[in-house]
């Protein structure tokens, strides 16, 4: 008996000296849990172990790290459905401007991948080896395939060239991209025909992939562009994602968007798997090259630059600007209601720096020039793509789009290589730092457009389901632990046209795959993000 008691005492002493490890890595305590499915919040604890949510409810066990969420909301990490970080993450994986918004997953690739199809596998491996803070997936651009095979000029591919382009798409799909993308508003992308895109989409369709598109027109011919996307989806056998849905045409504000919604809703009703994302701002941002009619670039960029220098060509271009959109070219000057609604954002030129933030009508008056000449002179002189803000959307139309249950949120902005600076696009637009918080701060708090559960659903479970990310987008047991904790009362996007790189307030914790990545004050340095590969059967 004495020996048994002595043994028991020794065991107890060993236990005291080596207490059992905490059963969980992190426990988030007492928050208002929004599961991401559109349901009302419930008060619960969330326990996380090995990168996954293992319990939601009353958690009695301790976490190695405990987060007090009393009075706060706990939601799935936000998913950015239209991201531009593909190149930036190679230089820095921190993506701090994304993380501070509560964004844990990004889907990039409007312009494709930074490498050709044959190198995508190595590109993904490099991202994994270097480490990234966000989960990252991407599309491959149809224009990449076209550019490699037939160059940057106008013209239809031969059957042999089309076959080679399809092989490029097949290589990209098998490397793990989610589908093909197009940006048909820009030359040389605009030289792709509907038939060409259907032929490439069929390859993505064999892998249950997407056709994701910056449509051929988002202005006066918006409905024609939507119908083209639907046709490509139906004939190509692919899911269709419309990038940054907008009715970017001032003369028809309040009219085009309801028609666009009706067209998409009708297509969905007959079985077309089509949806859209949008950003919650009235201005888009893009390069000044969009102010040039597409025919200027029909023989390639070098010839286009030559034409831009020709006074006779400029006279013709100005006539066409005044006439409105032409076949194959969306006139964003007309769409914005004139040069007075187009703001020079970044010329990349010291001589024009004093005009950044000014509209082109003001700049033209100051310089004694036609605003078109100002734009094209900058385009010729700039060492990088000069950028402008085009104020061409209305809040009424944004609200209409947001109310659709099939819309999600995409920023159209990339990760900043250095936090506090503009992204690699060179565009100082508040969407880079404020998109996700703004959806709640502006359209839930400041005006009753969405309920809080619906706003969260649009940024979590809906895009996860859309992209086939079956283990993300919900706060439920077994799911990946991508989580954001926020203070609803303090939540504000902050970033503005005047101060576009300001960080939001109210985001108190961000976890990516179970690792605390933002602690409410700073990025922790965690690089727990994963490359998301679309699976291609067969």
């Amino acid at each position: 008996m004495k020996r048994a008691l002595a043994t028991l005492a020794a065991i107890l002493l060993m236990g005291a000296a080596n207490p059992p490890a905490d059963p969980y890595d992190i426990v988030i305590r007492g928050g208002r849990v929004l599961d991401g499915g559109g349901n009302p919040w419930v008060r619960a604890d969330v326990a996380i172990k090995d990168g996954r949510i293992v319990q939601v409810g009353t958690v009695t066990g301790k976490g190695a790290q405990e987060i007090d969420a009393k009075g706060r909301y706990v939601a799935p990490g936000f998913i950015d459905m239209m991201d531009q970080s593909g190149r930036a993450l190679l230089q820095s994986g921190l993506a701090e401007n994304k993380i501070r918004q509560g964004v844990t997953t990004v889907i990039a690739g409007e312009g494709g991948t930074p490498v050709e199809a044959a190198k995508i596998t190595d590109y993904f491996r490099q991202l994994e080896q270097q480490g990234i803070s966000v989960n990252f997936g991407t599309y491959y651009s149809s224009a990449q395939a076209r550019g490699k095979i037939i160059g940057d000029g106008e013209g239809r591919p031969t059957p042999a060239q089309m076959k080679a382009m399809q092989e490029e798409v097949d290589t990209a799909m098998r490397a793990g991209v989610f589908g093909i993308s197009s940006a048909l508003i820009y030359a040389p992308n605009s030289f792709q025909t509907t038939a060409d895109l259907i032929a490439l989409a069929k390859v993505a369709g064999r892998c249950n992939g997407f056709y994701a598109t910056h449509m051929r027109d988002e202005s006066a011919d918006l409905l024609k562009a939507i119908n083209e996307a639907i046709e490509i989806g139906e004939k190509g056998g692919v899911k269709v994602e419309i990038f940054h849905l907008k009715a970017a045409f001032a003369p028809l504000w309040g009219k085009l968007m309801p028609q666009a919604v009706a067209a998409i809703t009708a297509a969905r009703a007959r079985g077309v798997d089509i949806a859209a994302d949008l950003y919650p701002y009235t201005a888009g941002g893009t390069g000044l090259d969009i102010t040039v009619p597409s025919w200027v670039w029909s023989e390639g960029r070098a010839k286009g630059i030559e034409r831009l220098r020709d006074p006779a060509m400029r006279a013709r271009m100005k006539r066409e600007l005044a006439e409105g959109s032409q076949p194959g070219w969306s006139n964003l000057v007309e769409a914005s209601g004139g040069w007075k609604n187009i703001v020079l954002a970044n010329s990349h030129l010291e001589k024009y720096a004093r005009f950044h933030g000014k509209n082109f009508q003001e700049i033209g008056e100051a310089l004694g020039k036609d605003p078109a000449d100002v734009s094209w002179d900058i385009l010729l002189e700039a060492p990088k793509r000069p950028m402008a803000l085009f104020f061409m959307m209305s809040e009424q139309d944004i609200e209409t789009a947001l109310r659709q249950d099939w819309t999600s949120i995409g920023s159209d902005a990339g990760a900043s290589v250095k936090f506090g600076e503009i992204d690699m696009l060179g565009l100082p637009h508040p969407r880079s730092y404020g998109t996700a918080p703004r959806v709640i701060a502006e359209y839930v708090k400041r005006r009753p457009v969405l309920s809080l559960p619906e706003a969260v659903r649009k940024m979590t479970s809906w895009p996860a389901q859309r992209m086939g990310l079956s283990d993300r987008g919900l706060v439920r047991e077994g799911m990946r632990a991508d989580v954001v904790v926020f203070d609803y009362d303090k939540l504000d996007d902050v970033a503005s046209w005047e101060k576009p790189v300001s960080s939001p307030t109210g985001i108190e914790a961000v976890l990516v795959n179970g690792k605390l990545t933002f602690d409410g004050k700073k990025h922790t340095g965690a690089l727990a993000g994963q490359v998301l590969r679309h699976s291609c059967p067969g």
Side-chain angles (χ1 to χ4, degrees):
M1 178 64 72
K2 289 182 179 179
R3 182 176 296 175
L5 289 173
T7 302
L8 177 60
I11 291 171
L12 291 172
L13 285 171
M14 288 176 62
N18 300 287
D22 295 317
Y24 305 114
D25 297 328
I26 297 176
V27 176
I28 304 171
R29 296 282 181 191
R32 300 174 180 178
V33 176
L34 286 160
D35 70 354
N39 298 308
W41 65 266
V42 296
R43 196 177 309 283
D45 306 325
V46 179
I48 294 164
K49 182 74 172 178
D50 297 329
R52 291 188 181 269
I53 296 168
V54 294
Q55 188 176 355
V56 180
T58 300
V59 177
T60 56
K62 298 294 183 182
Q65 190 170 13
E66 298 258 336
I67 297 174
D68 182 2
K70 291 183 180 65
R72 312 296 194 266
Y73 285 91
V74 180
F78 302 141
I79 297 174
D80 187 340
M81 282 286 277
M82 205 275 180
D83 168 77
Q84 299 279 6
S85 300
R87 193 176 301 277
L89 291 176
L90 289 172
Q91 295 191 34
S92 172
L94 293 176
E96 188 166 351
N97 60 312
K98 299 281 183 176
I99 290 292
R100 281 176 176 256
Q101 295 179 57
V103 171
T104 57
T105 297
V106 301
I107 306 297
E110 178 197 28
T113 55
V115 298
E116 62 179 292
K119 297 180 179 179
I120 291 174
T121 297
D122 292 336
Y123 165 63
F124 285 162
R125 187 179 299 118
Q126 183 178 349
L127 289 176
E128 290 172 325
Q129 291 172 346
Q130 293 179 191
I132 52 178
S133 289
V134 290
N135 304 307
F136 173 81
T138 187
Y139 300 104
Y140 170 77
S141 172
S142 58
Q144 286 181 269
R146 177 186 170 92
K148 179 178 180 179
I149 303 304
I150 67 174
D152 65 353
E154 203 170 18
R156 292 294 308 279
T158 65
Q161 288 173 327
M162 176 54 71
K163 184 175 185 296
M165 290 161 61
Q166 289 175 317
E167 289 171 355
E168 293 292 313
V169 172
D170 183 71
T171 298
M173 292 300 303
R174 295 188 184 283
V177 302
F178 281 82
I180 61 168
S181 61
S182 67
L184 302 178
I185 200 170
Y186 305 112
N189 286 256
S190 57
F191 302 142
Q192 300 172 97
T193 68
T194 305
D196 293 344
L197 292 166
I198 290 169
L200 296 179
K202 286 179 178 178
V203 180
R206 293 200 294 264
C207 294
N208 194 30
F210 283 83
Y211 170 68
T213 180
H214 179 148
M215 294 182 295
R216 204 174 294 277
D217 195 287
E218 299 170 323
S219 303
D221 283 335
L222 174 63
L223 298 180
K224 289 182 181 179
I226 289 174
N227 288 333
E228 180 187 35
I230 291 170
E231 181 183 357
I232 292 167
E234 289 185 302
K235 294 182 178 178
V238 287
K239 294 171 280 191
V240 178
E241 179 72 11
I242 293 176
F243 285 143
H244 44 57
L245 177 65
K246 60 175 76 76
F249 192 62
L252 292 178
W253 283 349
K255 297 178 181 179
L256 271 180
M257 183 59 79
Q259 294 174 31
V261 165
I264 295 169
T265 301
R268 288 182 59 83
R270 67 173 186 267
V272 181
D273 193 347
I274 181 172
D277 54 72
L278 70 148
Y279 50 77
Y281 297 93
T282 56
T286 191
L288 287 177
D289 48 329
I290 197 62
T291 67
V292 178
S294 293
W295 62 262
V296 173
W297 313 108
S298 62
E299 296 179 53
R301 183 162 184 82
K303 182 65 175 180
I305 294 298
E306 180 183 324
R307 287 170 172 165
L308 273 176
R309 299 185 189 281
D310 185 337
M313 291 292 100
R314 284 203 179 191
R316 175 183 168 184
M317 290 158 58
K318 289 175 187 176
R319 288 195 302 271
E320 293 181 3
L321 274 177
E323 292 168 358
S325 295
Q326 309 292 323
W329 174 57
S330 183
N331 183 343
L332 295 196
V333 178
E334 177 193 32
S336 301
W339 289 104
K340 66 182 182 298
N341 296 319
I342 302 172
V343 171
L344 178 61
N346 189 359
S347 67
H348 302 289
L349 293 165
E350 183 60 34
K351 65 185 285 188
Y352 289 100
R354 64 191 173 105
F355 295 118
H356 291 174
K358 303 289 186 183
N359 70 62
F360 276 85
Q361 184 170 301
E362 293 175 309
I363 301 170
E365 290 171 356
L367 296 175
K369 288 184 175 182
D370 186 309
D373 286 318
V374 175
S375 175
W376 301 335
D377 287 348
I378 293 172
L379 189 58
L380 287 172
E381 296 177 40
K384 300 179 182 179
R385 190 185 187 204
M387 308 297 285
L389 299 171
F390 294 77
F391 286 84
M392 53 190 176
M393 285 83 78
S394 73
E395 284 289 356
Q396 176 187 357
D397 288 336
I398 291 171
E399 291 183 9
T400 297
L402 278 174
R403 288 191 175 100
Q404 308 312 309
D405 57 10
W406 40 260
T407 55
S408 58
I409 305 302
S411 69
D412 197 8
S416 296
V417 173
K418 185 175 180 181
F419 179 67
E421 296 183 355
I422 59 177
D423 65 20
M424 284 189 71
L425 298 177
L427 178 64
H429 192 301
R431 65 194 183 192
S432 297
Y433 282 71
T435 293
R438 180 174 173 79
V439 172
I440 297 174
E442 183 67 27
Y443 297 96
V444 176
K445 289 174 62 175
R446 291 193 277 267
R447 44 179 138 164
V449 176
L450 300 172
S451 69
L452 180 58
E454 175 63 6
V456 169
R457 185 191 71 84
K458 282 182 173 293
M459 296 189 284
T460 57
S461 69
W462 167 234
Q465 180 182 351
R466 180 93 176 118
M467 300 307 298
L469 307 176
S470 59
D471 59 353
R472 300 185 192 274
L474 290 166
V475 178
R476 289 184 187 166
E477 294 175 9
M479 304 295 284
R480 298 278 184 180
D482 297 336
V483 182
V484 57
V485 179
F486 63 90
D487 185 325
Y488 179 81
D489 293 332
K490 295 180 180 177
L491 190 68
D492 193 6
D493 47 302
V494 180
S496 65
W497 303 113
E498 295 74 26
K499 296 181 179 179
V501 296
S502 300
S503 289
T505 57
I507 301 292
E508 300 208 342
V510 180
L511 287 73
V512 181
N513 294 306
K515 298 294 185 182
L516 184 63
T517 305
F518 179 66
D519 64 7
K521 295 181 180 179
K522 65 182 184 305
H523 193 299
T524 67
L527 297 170
Q530 298 178 351
V531 172
L532 305 174
R533 293 173 175 84
H534 178 71
S535 178
C536 183

